[in-house]
Amino acid sequence: MKKKLLVMMIIAMMLLMAACGAKDATPSGGGSTPSGGSESSTGESVDLQIGQVITAAHGDKCFTQVTAVVQGDTVVAAFIDEYQFADGTQVEGVPNSDAADGFAAGYAEGQVLLSKRAEADYYSELMSSHGGATVRIDDNYDAIQEFAAGKTIAELADFKGKAEAVDAVASATLADTGNYLAAIAEAAEVAKGTEAVAYEGDVSALKLNVEVGAAHGNKCFSTAAALTDGTTIVLSWLDEFQFADGTQVEGVPNSDATEGFAAGYAEGQVLLSKRMEAEYYSANMAEKAGSTVAIDENYNAIQAAVNGLSIDDAQAIADKGEGAVDAVSGATLADTAGYISLIIDAAKNAK
């Protein structure tokens, strides 16, 4: 009897030890893990990629900037903003809107360009007074982004042009909700063609944010995206916008809408994305400054340098000032520190 009892106790102890050694696959974060996503408890890494599109998801009076992060064919996170001209006595506008001999020279008289997120109070009030809207513009964007996380690119693309899409997204009231979701799918497709980074952790806990700033002089404004877990810059993305001769470039979407977005332009001017018009802008850099590295390749080099760094380590590079360019392989831009600083701002302000 004693021998039988001893055997049973040994078996029970072995079962208990096996159970304790098993890996817990439950996500550690509070949110849901996207399909195929990584979980911090497994210690496994997944590949993440970031991309951005400049498009027109909502009428002809503005253009839309959409950033997306993907894991394979699944959207992990997205960020939406739009830019529209407005009365310069009512809003400050994007950075350098007060530079009369710089960026502001591209404005029609009395106009400034605003970010709907940065001027969400002003724009949401317009939505309320003109259209009876009850949900703020930034809250609408956030609801659409939250809905997109965890969806496949194909699922989001299928919403394009569908009025019923707004009913599928809780808290969203924008009639063009379907077009915003499709724009996220477009950004996700761009992301799939970019360099991937490996990440170990709970993907559902990552935050994506885009900041608007002035990283380079007074003739343009800059945007920087950062995907972060709170301490590390996992991924980043840079672009800038500048006015140019309308006979040389097409400009951002709706630059041909004379009764819409283009009404905010000074005569002969259009607004370009330096990434979209990289060939044109890089040729100007080469001609006027002898640059040998294309503008988009410079942005990519800066992004690659900070991706995977802690915010503190990225700050240490930015603190080098003009010397920061020497710390970034492949970059030649004198304002490299300014671009890194804007990425850091995006990471610090991610919610």
Side-chain angles (χ1 to χ4, degrees):
M1 175 66 88
K2 288 182 180 181
K3 188 176 294 186
K4 183 177 180 181
L5 180 60
L6 179 60
V7 171
M8 292 177 65
M9 288 176 66
I10 292 172
I11 293 173
M13 289 178 65
M14 292 175 64
L15 290 172
L16 180 60
M17 291 174 66
C20 290
K23 291 184 177 180
D24 181 7
T26 304
S28 61
S32 59
T33 302
S35 176
S38 145
E39 296 162 353
S40 59
S41 58
T42 67
E44 298 173 357
S45 69
V46 295
D47 287 339
L48 301 177
Q49 297 162 284
I50 190 170
Q52 191 177 90
V53 292
I54 309 299
T55 186
H58 172 59
D60 68 355
K61 289 184 165 67
C62 62
F63 72 90
T64 314
Q65 181 186 50
V66 181
T67 312
V69 174
V70 297
Q71 180 189 336
D73 288 319
T74 300
V75 172
V76 171
F79 195 94
I80 302 166
D81 199 358
E82 289 183 293
Y83 298 85
Q84 183 166 322
F85 289 106
D87 184 342
T89 66
Q90 301 297 310
V91 292
E92 291 185 3
V94 295
N96 288 325
S97 286
D98 58 351
D101 60 342
F103 186 74
Y107 288 151
E109 186 175 357
Q111 295 292 290
V112 296
L113 185 71
L114 62 78
S115 152
K116 291 185 182 179
R117 276 195 178 272
E119 303 281 359
D121 288 345
Y122 168 80
Y123 193 80
S124 298
E125 177 58 31
L126 284 184
M127 289 171 59
S128 178
S129 60
H130 287 73
T134 58
V135 180
R136 289 168 54 93
I137 187 65
D138 49 348
D139 289 341
N140 264 288
Y141 292 155
D142 290 346
I144 295 168
Q145 294 162 191
E146 183 177 351
F147 176 83
K151 302 291 190 303
T152 66
I153 295 174
E155 287 173 329
L156 296 174
D158 191 52
F159 282 106
K160 187 175 181 64
K162 294 184 177 179
E164 61 270 24
V166 67
D167 299 322
V169 181
S171 301
T173 60
L174 300 178
D176 286 315
T177 293
N179 290 337
Y180 291 114
L181 291 171
I184 292 173
E186 292 175 25
E189 286 287 4
V190 171
K192 289 182 65 177
T194 64
E195 186 174 354
V197 301
Y199 179 72
E200 292 184 7
D202 182 6
V203 169
S204 69
L206 295 173
K207 304 296 183 184
L208 177 64
N209 183 43
V210 176
E211 287 288 312
V212 180
H216 171 60
N218 72 351
K219 293 183 178 177
C220 61
F221 73 92
S222 319
T223 63
L227 180 75
T228 180
D229 59 9
T231 59
T232 301
I233 299 168
V234 180
L235 279 167
S236 56
W237 188 270
L238 292 166
D239 199 358
E240 286 182 296
F241 298 86
Q242 183 166 324
F243 289 107
D245 185 341
T247 65
Q248 301 296 311
V249 293
E250 291 185 4
V252 296
N254 288 326
S255 286
D256 58 351
T258 55
E259 300 299 317
F261 186 75
Y265 288 152
E267 185 176 355
Q269 297 291 290
V270 296
L271 185 70
L272 61 77
S273 151
K274 292 184 183 179
R275 273 196 180 271
M276 287 178 61
E277 303 282 358
E279 185 175 348
Y280 165 82
Y281 191 82
S282 299
N284 275 351
M285 288 171 59
E287 178 184 349
K288 296 178 180 179
S291 175
T292 58
V293 180
I295 187 65
D296 51 346
E297 292 176 3
N298 264 289
Y299 293 155
N300 291 343
I302 295 169
Q303 293 162 194
V306 299
N307 291 347
L309 292 185
S310 70
I311 294 173
D312 289 342
D313 286 344
Q315 186 65 62
I317 298 176
D319 289 343
K320 296 178 183 292
E322 293 183 359
V325 65
D326 299 324
V328 177
S329 176
T332 60
L333 300 177
D335 287 316
T336 292
Y339 295 111
I340 294 175
S341 293
L342 193 57
I343 292 172
I344 291 169
D345 288 344
K348 286 182 175 180
N349 295 328
K351 299 177 181 178

Coordinates of all heavy atoms in Angstrom, one line a residue, residues 21-79:
G21 N 5.6 24.1 -16.6 CA 6.6 24.4 -17.7 C 6.0 24.9 -19.0 O 6.7 25.3 -19.9
A22 N 4.7 24.7 -19.1 CA 4.0 25.1 -20.4 C 4.0 26.6 -20.6 O 3.9 27.3 -19.6 CB 2.6 24.5 -20.4
K23 N 4.2 27.1 -21.9 CA 4.2 28.5 -22.2 C 2.8 29.0 -22.2 O 1.9 28.4 -22.8 CB 4.9 28.7 -23.5 CG 6.4 28.5 -23.5 CD 7.0 28.8 -24.8 CE 8.5 28.6 -24.8 NZ 9.2 28.9 -26.0
D24 N 2.6 30.2 -21.6 CA 1.3 30.9 -21.6 C 1.1 31.7 -22.9 O 1.9 32.6 -23.1 CB 1.2 31.8 -20.4 CG -0.1 32.5 -20.2 OD1 -1.0 32.2 -21.0 OD2 -0.2 33.4 -19.4
A25 N 0.1 31.4 -23.7 CA -0.1 32.1 -25.0 C -1.1 33.2 -24.8 O -1.5 33.8 -25.8 CB -0.5 31.1 -26.0
T26 N -1.5 33.6 -23.6 CA -2.4 34.7 -23.4 C -1.7 36.0 -23.6 O -0.7 36.3 -23.0 CB -3.0 34.6 -22.0 OG1 -3.6 33.3 -21.9 CG2 -4.1 35.7 -21.9
P27 N -2.3 37.0 -24.4 CA -1.7 38.3 -24.6 C -1.6 39.0 -23.2 O -2.5 38.9 -22.4 CB -2.6 39.0 -25.5 CG -3.4 37.9 -26.2 CD -3.5 36.8 -25.2
S28 N -0.4 39.7 -23.0 CA -0.3 40.4 -21.8 C -0.9 41.8 -21.8 O -1.2 42.4 -20.8 CB 1.2 40.6 -21.5 OG 1.8 41.4 -22.5
G29 N -1.2 42.3 -23.0 CA -1.8 43.7 -23.1 C -3.3 43.6 -22.9 O -3.9 42.5 -22.9
G30 N -3.9 44.8 -22.7 CA -5.3 44.9 -22.5 C -6.2 44.7 -23.8 O -7.3 44.3 -23.7
G31 N -5.5 45.0 -24.9 CA -6.3 44.9 -26.2 C -6.2 43.6 -26.8 O -5.5 42.7 -26.3
S32 N -7.0 43.4 -27.9 CA -6.9 42.1 -28.6 C -5.7 42.1 -29.5 O -5.3 43.1 -30.0 CB -8.2 42.0 -29.4 OG -8.3 43.0 -30.4
T33 N -5.1 40.9 -29.7 CA -4.0 40.7 -30.5 C -4.5 40.5 -32.0 O -5.3 39.7 -32.2 CB -3.2 39.5 -30.1 OG1 -2.8 39.6 -28.8 CG2 -2.0 39.3 -31.0
P34 N -4.0 41.3 -32.9 CA -4.4 41.1 -34.3 C -4.1 39.7 -34.8 O -3.2 39.0 -34.3 CB -3.5 42.2 -35.1 CG -3.1 43.2 -34.0 CD -3.0 42.4 -32.8
S35 N -4.8 39.3 -35.8 CA -4.7 38.0 -36.4 C -3.2 37.7 -36.8 O -2.7 38.5 -37.5 CB -5.6 37.8 -37.6 OG -5.4 36.6 -38.2
G36 N -2.6 36.7 -36.3 CA -1.2 36.4 -36.6 C -0.3 37.2 -35.8 O 0.9 37.2 -36.0
G37 N -0.7 38.0 -34.8 CA 0.1 38.9 -34.0 C 1.0 38.2 -33.0 O 0.8 37.0 -32.7
S38 N 2.0 38.9 -32.6 CA 2.9 38.4 -31.6 C 2.4 38.6 -30.2 O 1.6 39.5 -30.0 CB 4.3 39.1 -31.8 OG 4.9 39.3 -30.6
E39 N 2.8 37.8 -29.3 CA 2.4 37.9 -27.9 C 3.7 37.9 -27.0 O 4.5 37.1 -27.2 CB 1.5 36.8 -27.5 CG 0.2 36.8 -28.3 CD -0.6 35.5 -28.3 OE1 0.0 34.5 -27.8 OE2 -1.7 35.4 -28.8
S40 N 3.7 38.9 -26.1 CA 4.9 39.1 -25.4 C 5.3 37.9 -24.5 O 6.5 37.6 -24.3 CB 4.8 40.3 -24.4 OG 3.7 40.1 -23.6
S41 N 4.4 37.1 -24.1 CA 4.7 35.9 -23.3 C 5.4 34.8 -24.0 O 6.0 33.9 -23.4 CB 3.4 35.4 -22.7 OG 2.5 35.0 -23.7
T42 N 5.3 34.8 -25.4 CA 6.0 33.7 -26.1 C 7.4 34.0 -26.4 O 8.2 33.1 -26.7 CB 5.3 33.5 -27.5 OG1 5.5 34.7 -28.3 CG2 3.8 33.3 -27.3
G43 N 7.8 35.3 -26.4 CA 9.2 35.7 -26.7 C 9.5 35.6 -28.2 O 10.6 35.7 -28.6
E44 N 8.5 35.3 -29.0 CA 8.7 35.2 -30.5 C 8.7 36.5 -31.1 O 7.9 37.4 -30.7 CB 7.6 34.3 -31.1 CG 7.7 32.8 -30.5 CD 6.5 32.0 -31.0 OE1 5.7 32.6 -31.8 OE2 6.4 30.8 -30.7
S45 N 9.4 36.7 -32.2 CA 9.4 38.0 -32.9 C 8.6 37.9 -34.2 O 8.4 36.8 -34.7 CB 10.9 38.4 -33.3 OG 11.4 37.5 -34.2
V46 N 8.0 39.0 -34.6 CA 7.3 39.1 -35.8 C 7.8 40.3 -36.6 O 8.4 41.2 -36.1 CB 5.8 39.3 -35.5 CG1 5.2 38.1 -34.8 CG2 5.5 40.6 -34.8
D47 N 7.6 40.2 -37.9 CA 8.0 41.3 -38.8 C 6.9 42.3 -39.0 O 5.8 42.0 -39.3 CB 8.4 40.7 -40.2 CG 9.7 40.0 -40.2 OD1 10.5 40.2 -39.2 OD2 9.9 39.2 -41.1
L48 N 7.3 43.6 -38.8 CA 6.3 44.7 -38.9 C 6.9 45.7 -40.0 O 8.1 45.9 -40.1 CB 6.2 45.5 -37.6 CG 5.6 44.7 -36.4 CD1 5.6 45.5 -35.1 CD2 4.2 44.1 -36.7
Q49 N 5.9 46.3 -40.7 CA 6.3 47.2 -41.8 C 5.4 48.4 -41.7 O 4.2 48.3 -41.3 CB 6.2 46.6 -43.2 CG 7.2 45.4 -43.4 CD 6.7 44.5 -44.5 OE1 5.8 43.7 -44.4 NE2 7.4 44.6 -45.6
I50 N 5.9 49.6 -42.2 CA 5.1 50.8 -42.2 C 5.1 51.5 -43.5 O 6.1 51.4 -44.3 CB 5.7 51.8 -41.1 CG1 4.8 53.0 -40.9 CG2 7.1 52.3 -41.5 CD1 5.2 53.9 -39.7
G51 N 4.0 52.1 -43.9 CA 3.8 52.8 -45.1 C 2.8 53.9 -45.0 O 2.1 54.0 -44.0
Q52 N 2.8 54.8 -46.0 CA 2.0 56.0 -46.0 C 1.5 56.3 -47.4 O 2.2 56.1 -48.4 CB 2.7 57.1 -45.4 CG 1.9 58.4 -45.1 CD 2.7 59.4 -44.4 OE1 3.3 60.3 -45.1 NE2 2.8 59.4 -43.1
V53 N 0.3 56.8 -47.5 CA -0.3 57.3 -48.8 C -0.8 58.7 -48.6 O -1.2 59.1 -47.5 CB -1.4 56.4 -49.4 CG1 -0.8 55.1 -49.8 CG2 -2.5 56.3 -48.4
I54 N -0.7 59.5 -49.7 CA -1.3 60.8 -49.8 C -2.4 60.7 -50.8 O -2.2 60.4 -51.9 CB -0.3 61.9 -50.2 CG1 0.9 61.8 -49.4 CG2 -1.0 63.3 -50.1 CD1 0.7 62.1 -47.9
T55 N -3.7 60.8 -50.4 CA -4.8 60.5 -51.2 C -5.9 61.6 -51.0 O -5.7 62.6 -50.3 CB -5.3 59.1 -51.0 OG1 -6.3 58.7 -51.9 CG2 -5.8 58.9 -49.6
A56 N -7.1 61.3 -51.5 CA -8.3 62.1 -51.4 C -9.4 61.3 -51.0 O -10.2 60.8 -51.8 CB -8.6 62.9 -52.6
A57 N -9.6 61.1 -49.7 CA -10.7 60.2 -49.2 C -12.0 60.9 -49.0 O -13.0 60.3 -48.8 CB -10.2 59.6 -47.9
H58 N -11.9 62.3 -49.0 CA -13.1 63.1 -48.6 C -13.2 64.3 -49.5 O -12.7 65.4 -49.2 CB -13.0 63.4 -47.2 CG -14.1 64.4 -46.7 ND1 -15.5 64.1 -46.8 CD2 -14.0 65.6 -46.2 CE1 -16.2 65.1 -46.3 NE2 -15.3 66.1 -45.9
G59 N -13.9 64.2 -50.6 CA -14.2 65.4 -51.4 C -13.0 66.0 -52.1 O -11.9 65.4 -52.2
D60 N -13.2 67.3 -52.5 CA -12.1 67.9 -53.3 C -11.6 69.2 -52.6 O -10.8 69.9 -53.1 CB -12.6 68.3 -54.7 CG -13.7 69.4 -54.6 OD1 -14.1 69.8 -53.5 OD2 -14.1 69.9 -55.7
K61 N -11.9 69.4 -51.3 CA -11.5 70.5 -50.5 C -10.3 70.3 -49.6 O -9.8 71.2 -49.0 CB -12.6 71.1 -49.7 CG -13.7 71.8 -50.5 CD -14.7 72.4 -49.6 CE -15.6 73.4 -50.3 NZ -16.5 72.8 -51.3
C62 N -9.8 69.0 -49.6 CA -8.7 68.7 -48.7 C -7.9 67.5 -49.3 O -8.3 66.9 -50.4 CB -9.2 68.3 -47.4 SG -10.3 66.9 -47.3
F63 N -6.8 67.1 -48.7 CA -6.1 65.9 -49.1 C -5.9 65.1 -47.8 O -5.9 65.7 -46.7 CB -4.8 66.1 -49.9 CG -3.7 66.6 -49.1 CD1 -2.8 65.8 -48.4 CD2 -3.4 68.0 -49.0 CE1 -1.7 66.3 -47.7 CE2 -2.4 68.5 -48.3 CZ -1.5 67.6 -47.6
T64 N -5.8 63.8 -47.9 CA -5.7 62.9 -46.8 C -4.3 62.2 -46.7 O -3.8 61.8 -47.7 CB -6.8 61.8 -46.9 OG1 -8.0 62.4 -47.3 CG2 -7.0 61.0 -45.7
Q65 N -3.8 62.2 -45.5 CA -2.5 61.5 -45.2 C -2.8 60.3 -44.3 O -3.4 60.5 -43.2 CB -1.5 62.4 -44.5 CG -0.2 61.8 -44.3 CD 0.7 62.7 -43.5 OE1 0.3 63.3 -42.5 NE2 1.9 62.9 -43.9
V66 N -2.6 59.1 -44.8 CA -2.9 57.9 -44.0 C -1.6 57.0 -43.9 O -0.9 56.7 -44.8 CB -4.0 57.1 -44.7 CG1 -4.3 55.8 -43.9 CG2 -5.2 57.9 -44.9
T67 N -1.3 56.7 -42.6 CA -0.2 55.8 -42.3 C -0.7 54.5 -41.8 O -1.7 54.5 -41.0 CB 0.7 56.5 -41.2 OG1 0.9 57.9 -41.6 CG2 2.0 55.8 -41.1
A68 N 0.0 53.4 -42.2 CA -0.5 52.1 -41.7 C 0.7 51.2 -41.4 O 1.8 51.3 -42.0 CB -1.3 51.4 -42.7
V69 N 0.6 50.4 -40.3 CA 1.6 49.4 -40.0 C 1.0 48.0 -40.2 O -0.2 47.8 -39.8 CB 2.0 49.6 -38.5 CG1 3.0 48.4 -38.1 CG2 2.7 50.9 -38.3
V70 N 1.7 47.1 -40.8 CA 1.2 45.8 -41.1 C 2.1 44.7 -40.5 O 3.3 44.9 -40.3 CB 1.0 45.6 -42.6 CG1 0.0 46.5 -43.2 CG2 2.3 45.6 -43.3
Q71 N 1.5 43.6 -40.2 CA 2.1 42.3 -40.0 C 1.6 41.4 -41.0 O 0.5 40.9 -40.9 CB 1.9 41.8 -38.6 CG 2.6 40.5 -38.3 CD 2.1 39.8 -37.0 OE1 1.6 40.5 -36.1 NE2 2.2 38.5 -36.9
G72 N 2.4 41.1 -42.1 CA 1.9 40.4 -43.2 C 0.7 41.1 -43.9 O 0.9 42.3 -44.3
D73 N -0.4 40.5 -44.0 CA -1.6 41.1 -44.7 C -2.5 41.7 -43.7 O -3.6 42.2 -44.1 CB -2.3 40.1 -45.5 CG -1.6 39.7 -46.8 OD1 -1.0 40.6 -47.4 OD2 -1.6 38.5 -47.1
T74 N -2.1 41.8 -42.4 CA -3.0 42.3 -41.4 C -2.6 43.7 -40.9 O -1.4 43.9 -40.7 CB -3.1 41.4 -40.2 OG1 -3.6 40.1 -40.6 CG2 -4.0 41.9 -39.1
V75 N -3.5 44.6 -40.8 CA -3.2 46.0 -40.3 C -3.0 45.9 -38.8 O -4.0 45.4 -38.1 CB -4.3 47.0 -40.7 CG1 -4.1 48.3 -40.0 CG2 -4.3 47.1 -42.2
V76 N -1.9 46.4 -38.3 CA -1.7 46.4 -36.8 C -2.1 47.7 -36.2 O -2.7 47.8 -35.2 CB -0.2 46.2 -36.5 CG1 0.1 46.5 -35.1 CG2 0.2 44.8 -36.9
A77 N -1.9 48.8 -37.0 CA -2.3 50.2 -36.5 C -2.4 51.1 -37.7 O -1.7 50.9 -38.8 CB -1.2 50.7 -35.5
A78 N -3.1 52.2 -37.5 CA -3.3 53.2 -38.6 C -3.4 54.6 -38.0 O -3.8 54.7 -36.8 CB -4.5 52.8 -39.5
F79 N -3.2 55.6 -38.8 CA -3.3 57.0 -38.4 C -3.8 57.8 -39.6 O -3.2 57.8 -40.6 CB -2.0 57.5 -37.8 CG -2.1 58.8 -37.0 CD1 -2.3 58.7 -35.7 CD2 -2.1 60.0 -37.7 CE1 -2.4 59.9 -34.9 CE2 -2.3 61.2 -36.9 CZ -2.4 61.1 -35.6

